[in-house]
Amino acid sequence: MVKFLDLQKITAKYANEVHEAVSRVINSGWYLQGEENKRFEENYSKYVGTKYTVGCANGLDALIWIFRAYIELGIMKPGDEVIVPANTYIASILAITENRLKPILVEPNIQTYQIDDTKIEGVITERTKAILIVHLYGQCAYTEKIGTLCKQYNLKLIEDNAQAHGCIFNNCKTGALGDVAAHSFYPGKNLGALGDAGAVTTNDELLAKTIRTLANYGSSKKYVFQYTGRNSRLDEIQAAVLNVKLKYLDEDIKIRKQIAKYYIENITNQQVITPSINDWDSHVFHLFPIRCKQRDKLQEYLLENRIQTIIHYPIPPHKQECYIEWNDLSLPITEQIHNEELSLPISPVMNEEEYHYIVNIINEWKL
Ligand SMILES: *Cc1c(COP(=O)(O)O)cnc(C)c1O
């Protein structure tokens, strides 16, 4: 079986260093808000190119804290609107509604699967306070046009960088392109912990401090509470693991790109659409999404041939039960992507034999 993602093999690649790092934390007797966290925040800031990193419990919390902090700072208030791509993972939307802000769903571009920047200006209103771009599948969603719109209309530019650590736009990493960014280190992400973990990056000192306080019970001084916060901290063991894995992230991305390049150059089956890439720096291939009209049949065929694939995502946010009020919205491009998308296995531990096999099997497929 070619697994969609072999996490055991990924962890095994760094086993010695990870064991050493985890043992160091265990033996230190210090498990939260310590040296590992501090070191990770410094390392990650350096990597992304921002002044501040604030570690937190997971990627969803990172997103939630960004909006909450803007509300606490008086920059946003409940009822304000946030522009967001309609075809994102639901976490991006949950963070907006959790803060009683209003998501304005914008269709993606069918070539890039990223928010269609020609459809943004038309939905900006008096209440619009931010654009939340999502670097979906590991591809940069930022465009000059989005940057210009944010300046012109005085909107915050927020990045959901959960899928795109290490991605580069014009010499600038994603996570440093806007005002603030959320990162997830869920185990399956390109930079993954051995459990849940997340972070916020920004150059805004006050925002960073507010988020750090919110994620620590709303307290920056022991037993003094400024906000009704929550417990959402990055623990020392996860920070230690991330310190190890961050060193190898660029190497891992290089391998992902080699596999993606092989897929793009060699998948010739006319039923299958591979991603169109014009800048190889600006895609880190967290996923390798293909599109196919007969997607479910293809997935079944691949599984018969012992190839695991996953759909990202089968149901768009506006069709979910939790957002029943949007179920009748018409978002045809989003729906098309959700109906046709299939992610092929891609990871830094796949071998040549595996991805050559996948290409052969796909090319042999006939309806
Ligand atoms: C994974 C992911 C998140 C949430 O991260 P968690 O760490 O799982 O909470 C948010 N946005 C996107 C686009 C993601 O892929």
Side-chain angles (χ1 to χ4, degrees):
M1 178 68 84
V2 185
K3 285 193 181 170
F4 179 72
L5 182 65
D6 192 338
L7 277 179
Q8 195 174 31
K9 211 164 162 189
I10 288 177
T11 306
K13 192 174 167 181
Y14 318 103
N16 289 340
E17 275 188 84
V18 166
H19 279 281
E20 194 274 323
V22 171
S23 299
R24 191 174 60 235
V25 175
I26 292 172
N27 295 330
S28 76
W30 192 276
Y31 306 118
L32 280 168
Q33 313 279 71
E35 283 307 310
E36 295 290 344
N37 201 339
K38 208 170 137 224
R39 211 152 58 82
F40 176 67
E41 290 184 350
E42 282 167 14
N43 290 340
Y44 200 62
S45 295
K46 203 175 289 167
Y47 181 81
V48 174
T50 52
K51 282 193 196 148
Y52 309 101
T53 295
V54 180
C56 67
N58 55 64
L60 173 58
D61 275 3
L63 285 161
I64 289 173
W65 295 134
I66 289 170
F67 291 110
R68 174 79 188 272
Y70 276 132
I71 289 172
E72 295 294 350
L73 294 171
I75 291 165
M76 296 181 193
K77 56 184 176 314
D80 283 345
E81 295 171 359
V82 177
I83 291 169
V84 63
N87 62 322
T88 183
Y89 178 58
I90 199 150
S92 327
I93 317 265
L94 286 173
I96 299 170
T97 56
E98 165 102 6
N99 281 291
R100 295 193 293 132
L101 297 160
K102 189 174 170 206
I104 303 298
L105 305 179
V106 170
E107 288 263 62
N109 176 303
I110 190 68
Q111 249 87 49
T112 62
Y113 313 132
Q114 308 304 324
I115 191 166
D116 185 342
D117 65 8
T118 67
K119 293 184 178 155
I120 293 177
E121 194 165 17
V123 298
I124 295 174
T125 72
E126 302 267 277
R127 301 222 72 169
T128 311
K129 289 291 156 60
I131 302 177
L132 171 58
I133 56 173
V134 182
H135 307 300
L136 198 68
Y137 307 141
Q139 182 166 24
C140 181
Y142 179 83
T143 63
E144 309 270 358
K145 191 181 172 86
I146 292 174
T148 306
L149 285 171
C150 285
K151 284 201 187 76
Q152 191 181 339
Y153 290 94
N154 193 25
L155 308 177
K156 295 294 179 192
L157 179 58
I158 304 170
E159 296 172 83
D160 181 339
N161 199 42
Q163 301 190 359
H165 328 89
C167 186
I168 297 168
F169 177 91
N170 278 354
N171 294 321
C172 180
K173 292 249 173 70
T174 57
L177 289 165
D179 293 287
V180 59
H183 307 255
S184 164
F185 309 116
Y186 173 81
K189 299 286 158 81
N190 283 18
L191 177 59
L194 302 182
D196 278 317
V200 172
T201 54
T202 183
N203 289 321
D204 183 334
E205 186 180 7
L206 182 60
L207 188 69
K209 187 173 177 287
T210 307
I211 288 171
R212 187 180 299 289
T213 304
L214 283 165
N216 185 37
Y217 278 97
S219 167
S220 55
K221 194 173 158 207
K222 208 169 169 78
Y223 303 130
V224 179
F225 300 92
Q226 189 177 359
Y227 308 112
T228 53
R230 274 201 289 113
N231 180 351
S232 170
R233 300 177 295 226
L234 174 60
D235 71 71
E236 288 287 285
I237 287 182
Q238 299 309 338
V241 171
L242 290 169
N243 276 322
V244 171
K245 290 183 76 178
L246 180 58
K247 292 189 291 180
Y248 302 102
L249 179 57
D250 285 339
E251 228 169 83
D252 287 351
I253 291 171
K254 216 179 270 173
I255 301 170
R256 286 176 183 275
K257 284 188 192 183
Q258 274 165 11
I259 299 170
K261 197 155 188 284
Y262 186 83
Y263 280 150
I264 289 172
E265 286 173 357
N266 293 284
I267 293 177
T268 52
N269 192 319
Q270 295 298 308
Q271 312 282 338
V272 170
I273 300 168
T274 54
S276 56
I277 306 301
N278 36 38
D279 174 8
W280 282 83
D281 278 342
S282 72
H283 205 321
V284 292
F285 294 97
H286 169 56
L287 297 170
F288 189 86
I290 60 171
R291 267 172 45 231
C292 176
K293 295 270 178 218
Q294 303 287 333
R295 188 263 317 275
D296 295 348
K297 285 210 176 84
L298 175 60
Q299 184 174 39
E300 207 175 292
Y301 162 82
L302 291 174
L303 194 59
E304 280 163 13
N305 286 283
R306 306 185 333 278
I307 298 164
Q308 267 184 357
T309 56
I310 296 184
I311 297 165
H312 293 94
Y313 300 89
I315 307 170
H318 73 283
K319 294 288 183 193
Q320 298 287 350
E321 194 181 342
C322 64
Y323 292 127
I324 202 156
E325 67 276 27
W326 306 331
N327 285 182
D328 293 329
L329 282 183
S330 168
L331 294 158
I333 297 168
T334 298
E335 283 157 35
Q336 184 188 349
I337 293 170
H338 284 76
N339 286 331
E340 298 180 354
E341 196 275 346
L342 190 67
S343 300
L344 300 183
I346 191 163
S347 87
V349 295
M350 262 177 99
N351 60 47
E352 213 174 62
E353 199 182 322
E354 288 173 313
Y355 56 86
H356 286 195
Y357 171 71
I358 293 170
V359 167
N360 288 335
I361 292 292
I362 291 178
N363 287 342
E364 279 169 18
W365 182 55
K366 285 191 206 69
L367 277 175

